[in-house]
Amino acid sequence: MEFLIITGLSGAGKSRAIDALEDIGFYCVDNIPPKLIIAFYEMSNQAKGSLSRVAVVTDIRGGDMFSSLFETLDQMDNENKEYKILFLDANDYVLMNRFKETRRKHPLVENCLGSLEQAVKLERDVLKPVRERADYIIDTSYLSPAQLKERISSLFLGDSSDALMIHCVSFGFKYGIPAEADLVFDVRCLPNPYYVEELRNLTGLDEPVRSYVMKWEQTQGFIERFLSLIDYMLPLYCDEGKSQLVIAIGCTGGHHRSVALAQLLYNHLLEQNMRTSVNHRDIQKQ
């Protein structure tokens, strides 16, 4: 049985994650108290295959009951019950905007004298230990609903015994480093197409920009060492049992160099039959 525990920040997209998981065959239960997780695990396990893929959501909506989550996880570990944790995250600015747009009340806002900003910060502090235990972390700050569904599908649509899933992300340092990144590479040291007028409004997905980025000796030296390092590290992550690896490549604005090199890495991994995806986070930003 594949058993997934979903948690994360309020407003980070847990409901959309459930929808995506149901679409690929998971039986999902929302807002389950942590103390009931083990009982539900055992019930699902006794269903003899009719519930082979199960996902439960538990989060801060449970109030004081949520504090028992860590006791539950420790008990499951001691009893060798197999499970994975999916943590949904987003930056504070995005979370606050989502609550303002939907006019929904944050579960902790009354604990913070009506301050939404303080409620988001308090929840992040409370959830920090479970985020550190998570097997999968998805930052939804800049993901559309369709992109989130694609990310969920890429993680869980395949057989659970498949190799780790590698996400290649391009980004601009001016917009911040992706929160879910495991490895971050800074390519601002390479020649910048932004200063070539006819390339400025193009992106690293366009052939003229790609050719410009790749033609330099500095870039070729970086690519040789970069791909060699990645090829060396991936089997080590597999041996450690890691399920997801997020490799983020950043330049100044996230339009040119990082996009071209993230796409190159994605293609390189595809050629090796690795499970991989690519997301150019900041390509639409000006």
Side-chain angles (χ1 to χ4, degrees):
M1 179 182 65
E2 189 173 357
F3 194 86
L4 181 67
I5 299 173
I6 305 170
T7 189
L9 279 297
S10 300
K14 296 186 291 294
S15 296
R16 294 190 183 277
I18 288 177
D19 292 341
L21 288 165
E22 287 181 339
D23 287 345
I24 60 175
F26 274 81
Y27 181 85
C28 300
V29 177
D30 190 16
N31 200 14
I32 187 172
K35 287 188 176 181
L36 295 182
I37 290 177
I38 292 179
F40 190 75
Y41 181 100
E42 293 174 345
M43 183 191 76
S44 302
N45 208 26
Q46 292 168 7
K48 300 185 184 299
S50 60
L51 293 178
S52 60
R53 310 188 85 191
V54 176
V56 298
V57 178
T58 186
D59 55 34
I60 206 69
R61 288 174 294 172
D64 293 340
M65 292 187 293
F66 184 72
S67 62
S68 64
L69 175 61
F70 305 103
E71 178 184 339
T72 296
L73 295 178
D74 290 340
Q75 183 178 342
M76 293 180 74
D77 291 338
N78 292 334
E79 296 175 2
N80 295 317
K81 288 180 166 59
E82 295 185 3
Y83 66 91
K84 298 287 186 181
I85 299 175
L86 168 63
F87 190 96
L88 278 296
D89 201 351
N91 67 51
D92 292 0
Y93 176 79
V94 168
L95 291 174
M96 288 189 288
N97 273 350
R98 288 175 182 173
F99 274 99
K100 291 175 182 177
E101 289 170 359
T102 61
R103 299 186 179 181
R104 295 190 62 196
K105 185 174 72 172
H106 191 285
L108 297 179
V109 73
E110 292 182 0
N111 300 64
C112 299
L113 302 178
S115 170
L116 177 58
E117 181 179 3
Q118 291 302 315
V120 171
K121 290 181 178 179
L122 175 59
E123 185 179 23
R124 190 175 296 283
D125 289 340
V126 171
L127 293 178
K128 183 178 179 181
V130 71
R131 189 184 193 279
E132 293 172 349
R133 293 180 69 158
D135 299 281
Y136 312 100
I137 299 173
I138 299 179
D139 186 328
T140 67
S141 300
Y142 304 105
L143 294 182
S144 68
Q147 288 173 323
L148 175 58
K149 182 175 182 178
E150 182 181 358
R151 179 71 68 85
I152 294 286
S153 297
S154 68
L155 283 174
F156 301 107
L157 191 56
D159 188 272
S160 60
S161 63
D162 287 346
L164 85 164
M165 182 69 196
I166 306 162
H167 300 290
C168 308
V169 181
S170 69
F171 72 96
F173 276 95
K174 66 190 294 184
Y175 303 113
I177 296 174
E180 75 273 33
D182 296 296
L183 301 174
V184 177
F185 293 88
D186 182 352
V187 297
R188 290 175 293 183
C189 57
L190 303 177
N192 191 352
Y194 178 84
Y195 296 108
V196 180
E197 186 173 353
E198 59 268 28
L199 301 180
R200 183 170 300 167
N201 294 323
L202 301 178
T203 76
L205 296 177
D206 297 307
E207 178 57 34
V209 171
R210 194 160 54 245
S211 296
Y212 180 90
V213 171
M214 301 301 174
K215 74 178 183 178
W216 302 96
E217 181 180 348
Q218 301 99 304
T219 305
Q220 290 303 313
F222 171 81
I223 291 172
E224 179 183 353
R225 293 164 176 81
F226 172 57
L227 295 182
S228 177
L229 176 62
I230 296 300
D231 290 344
Y232 174 77
M233 295 177 72
L234 291 184
L236 303 181
Y237 282 117
C238 289
D239 290 344
E240 287 296 313
K242 192 169 180 63
S243 303
Q244 172 185 237
L245 184 70
V246 180
I247 304 175
I249 303 173
C251 61
T252 303
H255 284 187
H256 300 109
R257 294 164 291 182
S258 62
V259 172
L261 289 164
Q263 198 69 33
L264 179 140
L265 174 61
Y266 170 70
N267 292 331
H268 174 76
L269 296 173
L270 283 181
E271 290 174 358
Q272 299 183 65
N273 297 315
M274 302 293 292
R275 295 178 62 217
T276 185
S277 69
V278 64
N279 175 34
H280 302 298
R281 192 192 73 177
D282 300 328
I283 201 170
Q284 300 299 328
K285 297 178 180 177
Q286 299 295 333

mmCIF file of all heavy atoms in Angstrom, residues 8 17-18 25 41 59 65 77 96 111-112 115 133 139-141 148 151 219 221 225 239 250 254 268 285:
data_model
loop_
_atom_site.group_PDB
_atom_site.id
_atom_site.type_symbol
_atom_site.label_atom_id
_atom_site.label_comp_id
_atom_site.label_asym_id
_atom_site.label_seq_id
_atom_site.Cartn_x
_atom_site.Cartn_y
_atom_site.Cartn_z
ATOM 1 N N GLY A 8 1.034 21.098 5.326
ATOM 2 C CA GLY A 8 1.648 22.299 4.795
ATOM 3 C C GLY A 8 0.906 23.545 5.225
ATOM 4 O O GLY A 8 -0.033 23.505 6.030
ATOM 5 N N ALA A 17 -4.067 19.775 -4.409
ATOM 6 C CA ALA A 17 -3.245 18.560 -4.421
ATOM 7 C C ALA A 17 -4.127 17.318 -4.291
ATOM 8 O O ALA A 17 -3.893 16.301 -4.963
ATOM 9 C CB ALA A 17 -2.218 18.613 -3.296
ATOM 10 N N ILE A 18 -5.132 17.393 -3.430
ATOM 11 C CA ILE A 18 -6.064 16.266 -3.274
ATOM 12 C C ILE A 18 -6.771 15.982 -4.600
ATOM 13 O O ILE A 18 -6.903 14.825 -5.021
ATOM 14 C CB ILE A 18 -7.101 16.568 -2.174
ATOM 15 C CG1 ILE A 18 -6.447 16.519 -0.798
ATOM 16 C CG2 ILE A 18 -8.256 15.570 -2.227
ATOM 17 C CD1 ILE A 18 -7.391 16.880 0.323
ATOM 18 N N GLY A 25 -5.843 8.221 -9.045
ATOM 19 C CA GLY A 25 -6.202 6.972 -8.399
ATOM 20 C C GLY A 25 -6.021 6.864 -6.914
ATOM 21 O O GLY A 25 -6.185 5.782 -6.340
ATOM 22 N N TYR A 41 -4.706 4.023 8.578
ATOM 23 C CA TYR A 41 -3.666 3.258 7.881
ATOM 24 C C TYR A 41 -3.974 1.766 7.975
ATOM 25 O O TYR A 41 -3.932 1.038 6.979
ATOM 26 C CB TYR A 41 -2.303 3.576 8.501
ATOM 27 C CG TYR A 41 -1.137 2.859 7.861
ATOM 28 C CD1 TYR A 41 -0.317 3.516 6.943
ATOM 29 C CD2 TYR A 41 -0.831 1.534 8.180
ATOM 30 C CE1 TYR A 41 0.767 2.864 6.362
ATOM 31 C CE2 TYR A 41 0.245 0.882 7.605
ATOM 32 C CZ TYR A 41 1.036 1.550 6.695
ATOM 33 O OH TYR A 41 2.106 0.896 6.114
ATOM 34 N N ASP A 59 -3.563 19.047 9.119
ATOM 35 C CA ASP A 59 -2.910 20.355 9.189
ATOM 36 C C ASP A 59 -3.402 21.144 10.394
ATOM 37 O O ASP A 59 -4.077 20.599 11.274
ATOM 38 C CB ASP A 59 -3.114 21.139 7.878
ATOM 39 C CG ASP A 59 -4.577 21.289 7.497
ATOM 40 O OD1 ASP A 59 -5.420 21.399 8.401
ATOM 41 O OD2 ASP A 59 -4.879 21.304 6.285
ATOM 42 N N MET A 65 -5.174 19.407 18.434
ATOM 43 C CA MET A 65 -4.989 18.001 18.060
ATOM 44 C C MET A 65 -3.789 17.814 17.132
ATOM 45 O O MET A 65 -3.192 16.741 17.096
ATOM 46 C CB MET A 65 -6.248 17.461 17.374
ATOM 47 C CG MET A 65 -7.456 17.342 18.277
ATOM 48 S SD MET A 65 -8.844 16.519 17.437
ATOM 49 C CE MET A 65 -9.246 17.750 16.174
ATOM 50 N N ASP A 77 6.883 5.027 12.589
ATOM 51 C CA ASP A 77 8.263 4.627 12.326
ATOM 52 C C ASP A 77 8.642 3.413 13.163
ATOM 53 O O ASP A 77 9.253 2.461 12.666
ATOM 54 C CB ASP A 77 9.219 5.780 12.635
ATOM 55 C CG ASP A 77 9.090 6.929 11.650
ATOM 56 O OD1 ASP A 77 8.591 6.693 10.526
ATOM 57 O OD2 ASP A 77 9.478 8.062 11.996
ATOM 58 N N MET A 96 -0.660 35.404 1.977
ATOM 59 C CA MET A 96 -1.533 36.480 2.448
ATOM 60 C C MET A 96 -2.436 36.988 1.334
ATOM 61 O O MET A 96 -3.624 37.269 1.552
ATOM 62 C CB MET A 96 -0.686 37.620 3.041
ATOM 63 C CG MET A 96 -0.063 37.251 4.387
ATOM 64 S SD MET A 96 0.724 38.649 5.227
ATOM 65 C CE MET A 96 2.162 38.879 4.189
ATOM 66 N N ASN A 111 -5.798 33.648 17.040
ATOM 67 C CA ASN A 111 -4.712 33.515 18.009
ATOM 68 C C ASN A 111 -3.731 34.676 17.914
ATOM 69 O O ASN A 111 -2.924 34.872 18.815
ATOM 70 C CB ASN A 111 -3.941 32.202 17.783
ATOM 71 C CG ASN A 111 -4.826 30.979 17.914
ATOM 72 O OD1 ASN A 111 -5.742 30.792 17.132
ATOM 73 N ND2 ASN A 111 -4.550 30.126 18.894
ATOM 74 N N CYS A 112 -3.808 35.420 16.815
ATOM 75 C CA CYS A 112 -2.848 36.498 16.565
ATOM 76 C C CYS A 112 -3.549 37.852 16.536
ATOM 77 O O CYS A 112 -3.107 38.772 15.832
ATOM 78 C CB CYS A 112 -2.117 36.244 15.249
ATOM 79 S SG CYS A 112 -1.167 34.709 15.239
ATOM 80 N N SER A 115 -4.284 39.505 13.149
ATOM 81 C CA SER A 115 -3.194 39.812 12.218
ATOM 82 C C SER A 115 -2.924 38.618 11.306
ATOM 83 O O SER A 115 -2.453 37.574 11.761
ATOM 84 C CB SER A 115 -1.916 40.178 12.984
ATOM 85 O OG SER A 115 -0.814 40.254 12.101
ATOM 86 N N ARG A 133 10.884 16.894 7.984
ATOM 87 C CA ARG A 133 10.715 15.452 7.858
ATOM 88 C C ARG A 133 10.094 15.049 6.528
ATOM 89 O O ARG A 133 9.982 13.852 6.233
ATOM 90 C CB ARG A 133 9.843 14.914 8.996
ATOM 91 C CG ARG A 133 10.475 15.023 10.365
ATOM 92 C CD ARG A 133 9.595 14.493 11.470
ATOM 93 N NE ARG A 133 9.416 13.057 11.447
ATOM 94 C CZ ARG A 133 9.051 12.329 12.502
ATOM 95 N NH1 ARG A 133 8.836 12.931 13.665
ATOM 96 N NH2 ARG A 133 8.898 11.030 12.399
ATOM 97 N N ASP A 139 6.761 24.008 -3.540
ATOM 98 C CA ASP A 139 6.487 25.422 -3.325
ATOM 99 C C ASP A 139 5.530 25.861 -4.433
ATOM 100 O O ASP A 139 5.885 25.871 -5.610
ATOM 101 C CB ASP A 139 7.788 26.225 -3.382
ATOM 102 C CG ASP A 139 7.584 27.685 -3.014
ATOM 103 O OD1 ASP A 139 6.494 28.223 -3.293
ATOM 104 O OD2 ASP A 139 8.517 28.295 -2.461
ATOM 105 N N THR A 140 4.317 26.234 -4.057
ATOM 106 C CA THR A 140 3.290 26.579 -5.037
ATOM 107 C C THR A 140 3.215 28.073 -5.328
ATOM 108 O O THR A 140 2.300 28.518 -6.009
ATOM 109 C CB THR A 140 1.907 26.095 -4.550
ATOM 110 O OG1 THR A 140 1.532 26.857 -3.382
ATOM 111 C CG2 THR A 140 1.936 24.612 -4.193
ATOM 112 N N SER A 141 4.176 28.839 -4.819
ATOM 113 C CA SER A 141 4.103 30.302 -4.935
ATOM 114 C C SER A 141 3.862 30.754 -6.372
ATOM 115 O O SER A 141 3.065 31.656 -6.635
ATOM 116 C CB SER A 141 5.380 30.942 -4.398
ATOM 117 O OG SER A 141 5.594 30.617 -3.050
ATOM 118 N N LEU A 148 0.686 22.745 -10.834
ATOM 119 C CA LEU A 148 0.698 21.947 -9.611
ATOM 120 C C LEU A 148 0.211 20.532 -9.901
ATOM 121 O O LEU A 148 0.794 19.561 -9.414
ATOM 122 C CB LEU A 148 -0.182 22.601 -8.543
ATOM 123 C CG LEU A 148 -0.348 21.807 -7.241
ATOM 124 C CD1 LEU A 148 0.999 21.519 -6.580
ATOM 125 C CD2 LEU A 148 -1.273 22.548 -6.271
ATOM 126 N N ARG A 151 2.964 18.651 -11.520
ATOM 127 C CA ARG A 151 4.013 18.283 -10.572
ATOM 128 C C ARG A 151 3.574 17.084 -9.724
ATOM 129 O O ARG A 151 4.355 16.145 -9.516
ATOM 130 C CB ARG A 151 4.345 19.464 -9.670
ATOM 131 C CG ARG A 151 5.410 19.192 -8.613
ATOM 132 C CD ARG A 151 6.796 19.046 -9.222
ATOM 133 N NE ARG A 151 7.253 20.280 -9.762
ATOM 134 C CZ ARG A 151 7.873 21.241 -9.059
ATOM 135 N NH1 ARG A 151 8.083 21.056 -7.759
ATOM 136 N NH2 ARG A 151 8.290 22.340 -9.627
ATOM 137 N N THR A 219 30.999 29.134 -20.712
ATOM 138 C CA THR A 219 29.790 28.317 -20.611
ATOM 139 C C THR A 219 30.110 26.847 -20.849
ATOM 140 O O THR A 219 29.615 25.963 -20.125
ATOM 141 C CB THR A 219 28.731 28.784 -21.620
ATOM 142 O OG1 THR A 219 28.474 30.185 -21.436
ATOM 143 C CG2 THR A 219 27.433 28.003 -21.435
ATOM 144 N N GLY A 221 32.902 25.326 -20.339
ATOM 145 C CA GLY A 221 33.609 24.819 -19.169
ATOM 146 C C GLY A 221 32.661 24.539 -18.014
ATOM 147 O O GLY A 221 32.793 23.531 -17.303
ATOM 148 N N ARG A 225 31.643 20.624 -16.314
ATOM 149 C CA ARG A 225 31.783 20.336 -14.878
ATOM 150 C C ARG A 225 30.413 20.138 -14.212
ATOM 151 O O ARG A 225 30.265 19.285 -13.331
ATOM 152 C CB ARG A 225 32.546 21.481 -14.213
ATOM 153 C CG ARG A 225 34.012 21.559 -14.675
ATOM 154 C CD ARG A 225 34.637 22.898 -14.328
ATOM 155 N NE ARG A 225 36.051 22.961 -14.685
ATOM 156 C CZ ARG A 225 36.493 23.219 -15.914
ATOM 157 N NH1 ARG A 225 35.627 23.429 -16.913
ATOM 158 N NH2 ARG A 225 37.787 23.264 -16.161
ATOM 159 N N ASP A 239 20.824 5.930 -3.925
ATOM 160 C CA ASP A 239 21.242 4.977 -2.888
ATOM 161 C C ASP A 239 20.717 5.378 -1.514
ATOM 162 O O ASP A 239 20.476 4.512 -0.661
ATOM 163 C CB ASP A 239 22.772 4.892 -2.838
ATOM 164 C CG ASP A 239 23.358 4.205 -4.070
ATOM 165 O OD1 ASP A 239 22.586 3.543 -4.785
ATOM 166 O OD2 ASP A 239 24.569 4.346 -4.310
ATOM 167 N N GLY A 250 19.962 29.599 -11.355
ATOM 168 C CA GLY A 250 19.537 30.985 -11.318
ATOM 169 C C GLY A 250 20.461 31.941 -12.039
ATOM 170 O O GLY A 250 21.685 31.784 -12.018
ATOM 171 N N GLY A 254 16.116 35.473 -14.541
ATOM 172 C CA GLY A 254 15.424 34.220 -14.811
ATOM 173 C C GLY A 254 14.854 34.110 -16.209
ATOM 174 O O GLY A 254 13.927 33.325 -16.447
ATOM 175 N N HIS A 268 19.392 16.598 -20.974
ATOM 176 C CA HIS A 268 20.453 15.658 -20.613
ATOM 177 C C HIS A 268 19.898 14.507 -19.780
ATOM 178 O O HIS A 268 20.248 13.333 -20.001
ATOM 179 C CB HIS A 268 21.541 16.402 -19.835
ATOM 180 C CG HIS A 268 22.623 15.527 -19.280
ATOM 181 N ND1 HIS A 268 23.630 14.992 -20.059
ATOM 182 C CD2 HIS A 268 22.856 15.091 -18.010
ATOM 183 C CE1 HIS A 268 24.433 14.264 -19.302
ATOM 184 N NE2 HIS A 268 23.986 14.311 -18.060
ATOM 185 N N LYS A 285 8.081 37.110 -16.051
ATOM 186 C CA LYS A 285 8.209 38.341 -15.263
ATOM 187 C C LYS A 285 9.087 39.355 -15.985
ATOM 188 O O LYS A 285 10.047 38.990 -16.664
ATOM 189 C CB LYS A 285 8.788 38.030 -13.871
ATOM 190 C CG LYS A 285 7.869 37.143 -13.061
ATOM 191 C CD LYS A 285 8.480 36.816 -11.710
ATOM 192 C CE LYS A 285 7.549 35.927 -10.912
ATOM 193 N NZ LYS A 285 8.137 35.526 -9.623
#
